[in-house]
Amino acid sequence: MDSALSSPSAAGSTHSAADGTGAMYLSGTDQTLVKLLVAGPFGVGKTTFIRALSETPPLHTEEVMTQTGAFVDDLAGVREKTTTTVAIDFGRITLAGDLVLYLFGTPGQKRFRPLWQDIARGAVGALVLADTRRLADSFEVMDIIEEAGLRYAVAVNTFPDAPDHSVETLRDHLDLHEDTPLVLCDARDRDQSLDALIALVGHVLDHTPMENP
Ligand SMILES: Nc1nc2c(ncn2[C@@H]2O[C@H](COP(=O)(O)OP(=O)(O)O)[C@@H](O)[C@H]2O)c(=O)[nH]1
Ligand SMILES: [Mg+2]
């Protein structure tokens, strides 16, 4: 890759790119480490997505939802959901042998907003998951990501009982910039989830300054 995400590194350690992307270069391995967020409202499929993709056993901080939690987490439209992410999900996937993506599933509940500064630190982009039954629930997350100055792509998780809309209608409802990728995927399907992630990585690379020769 000849973008700024693949600069050579000093010996013996990881270090951050000087290009402001936040990418880290791991010396001796030619690996570029990239942190990405997988964000979206409660129940949209973040844990499922990371579980489908991660090449290492994903780290999940799921807790069985208690009766008490039922008053805090809105279960409307999220049948069959019995666990909730109380902190983050974490997974890793290697693309093209040298590009290692670290995926951080970020909590969608409003009460976790104070954690966002820490979660977003060093991230180069975010994939926002959305559900056509409740698109508006993704707005707050998109706002936070924009505030954090992160590039993002939107992946609509295609639940079988969710209404179908054309990509144009979805883009319109989500008020997406013409540049922002929108993809449809089933978060349980590795290939579809990978395509969604690649759309995000392509978007980030398209906006990453090229290295000086
Ligand atoms: N049918 C279907 N169910 C899904 C899909 N993605 C997630 N689920 C289910 O939806 C529920 C919520 O997903 P989860 O990944 O826990 O959501 P999170 O709160 O965003 O991490 C779980 O029961 C998943 O098995 C999907 O693409 N299709
Ligand atoms: Mg989760």
Side-chain angles (χ1 to χ4, degrees):
M1 221 172 291
D2 42 333
S3 81
L5 288 179
S6 63
S7 98
S9 60
S13 63
T14 59
H15 67 275
S16 295
D19 55 28
T21 62
M24 305 281 288
Y25 311 121
L26 188 62
S27 61
T29 65
D30 289 331
Q31 283 187 329
T32 300
L33 314 183
V34 174
K35 174 178 173 180
L36 298 173
L37 307 184
V38 177
F42 176 63
V44 79
K46 301 177 296 294
T47 298
T48 307
F49 183 92
I50 291 174
R51 187 173 288 153
L53 279 178
S54 187
E55 64 202 9
T56 53
L59 175 67
H60 293 289
T61 49
E62 293 275 313
E63 293 289 335
V64 174
M65 287 193 289
T66 62
Q67 276 302 103
T68 316
F71 294 103
V72 182
D73 289 319
D74 181 7
L75 285 169
V78 198
R79 295 189 309 275
E80 296 168 22
K81 187 157 167 58
T82 54
T83 61
T84 186
T85 304
V86 293
I88 56 166
D89 300 307
F90 175 72
R92 190 188 76 186
I93 179 165
T94 306
L95 294 187
D98 59 356
L99 182 58
V100 184
L101 308 181
Y102 287 93
L103 306 181
F104 289 75
T106 61
Q109 293 98 315
K110 293 191 183 97
R111 66 178 184 276
F112 288 124
R113 193 169 181 153
L115 294 178
W116 263 82
Q117 273 198 323
D118 286 335
I119 291 169
R121 190 167 296 131
V124 305
L127 187 69
V128 177
L129 297 189
D131 178 343
T132 58
R133 291 166 297 186
R134 45 197 184 97
L135 280 181
D137 289 2
S138 291
F139 291 166
E140 189 190 18
V141 174
M142 287 162 62
D143 282 350
I144 298 173
I145 287 169
E146 282 173 10
E147 271 168 31
L150 288 177
R151 297 209 174 273
Y152 65 93
V154 176
V156 172
N157 192 6
T158 52
F159 290 88
D161 49 345
D164 274 342
H165 295 293
S166 70
V167 166
E168 292 71 37
T169 306
L170 289 168
R171 295 190 69 89
D172 203 39
H173 272 76
L174 290 164
D175 197 20
L176 294 185
H177 188 275
E178 60 185 22
D179 220 22
T180 305
L182 174 78
V183 293
L184 305 181
C185 80
D186 181 330
R188 298 164 303 173
D189 183 287
R190 186 173 193 281
D191 290 345
Q192 291 184 28
S193 296
L194 192 55
D195 285 348
L197 208 54
I198 287 171
L200 170 64
V201 172
H203 181 55
V204 170
L205 290 177
D206 281 350
H207 291 87
T208 299
M210 303 295 278
E211 279 175 9
N212 295 325

